[in-house]
């Protein structure tokens, strides 16, 4: 099952639903029992630029991949952040 995240500048990103559920906000928006339009359409509009939404998707995948890994084996995510977008994140 896939979810589409759409940025304000029109970029779309497909993310596995289980990865998107790593965000509490997205989890609430996509909850089938909610009355949110996002739950029906599997599409979430994110009020950020595409570069920020892309980094959000990357972080959610990172979080999903390493959530049960021992602390010593988890690489530092901050090394993947470009200085130009740090303030927006």
């Amino acid at each position: 099952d896939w979810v589409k995240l759409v940025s304000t500048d029109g970029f779309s990103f497909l993310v596995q639903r289980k990865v998107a559920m790593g965000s509490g906000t997205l989890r609430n928006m996509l909850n089938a029992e909610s009355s949110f339009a996002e739950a029906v359409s599997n599409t979430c509009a994110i009020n950020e630029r595409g570069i920020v939404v892309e980094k959000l998707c990357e972080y959610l995948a990172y979080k999903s991949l390493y959530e049960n890994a021992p602390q010593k084996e988890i690489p530092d995510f901050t090394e993947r952040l470009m200085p130009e977008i740090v303030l927006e994140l």
Side-chain angles (χ1 to χ4, degrees), residues 49-70:
R49 295 184 309 139
I51 189 83
V52 176
V53 178
E54 179 181 26
K55 201 51 72 171
L56 168 67
C57 294
E58 188 178 334
Y59 174 74
L60 289 172
Y62 165 89
K63 181 178 176 182
S64 176
L65 181 64
Y66 293 108
E67 75 183 336
N68 294 322

Side-chain angles (χ1 to χ4, degrees), residues 14-89:
L14 288 177
V15 179
Q16 287 183 324
R17 178 179 286 276
K18 69 175 187 166
V19 172
M21 294 300 182
S23 162
T25 300
L26 293 177
R27 185 180 321 113
N28 290 335
M29 291 169 73
L30 296 167
N31 183 352
E33 297 175 4
S34 73
S35 59
F36 292 123
E38 292 85 357
V40 175
S41 66
N42 285 328
T43 302
C44 296
I46 308 293
N47 194 22
E48 294 292 342
R49 295 184 309 139
I51 189 83
V52 176
V53 178
E54 179 181 26
K55 201 51 72 171
L56 168 67
C57 294
E58 188 178 334
Y59 174 74
L60 289 172
Y62 165 89
K63 181 178 176 182
S64 176
L65 181 64
Y66 293 108
E67 75 183 336
N68 294 322
Q71 188 67 32
K72 293 179 183 178
E73 297 177 14
I74 300 176
D76 186 17
F77 185 78
T78 58
E79 294 174 2
R80 299 178 181 194
L81 298 175
M82 296 179 296
E84 303 85 55
I85 66 166
V86 169
L87 292 176
E88 293 183 62
L89 294 173

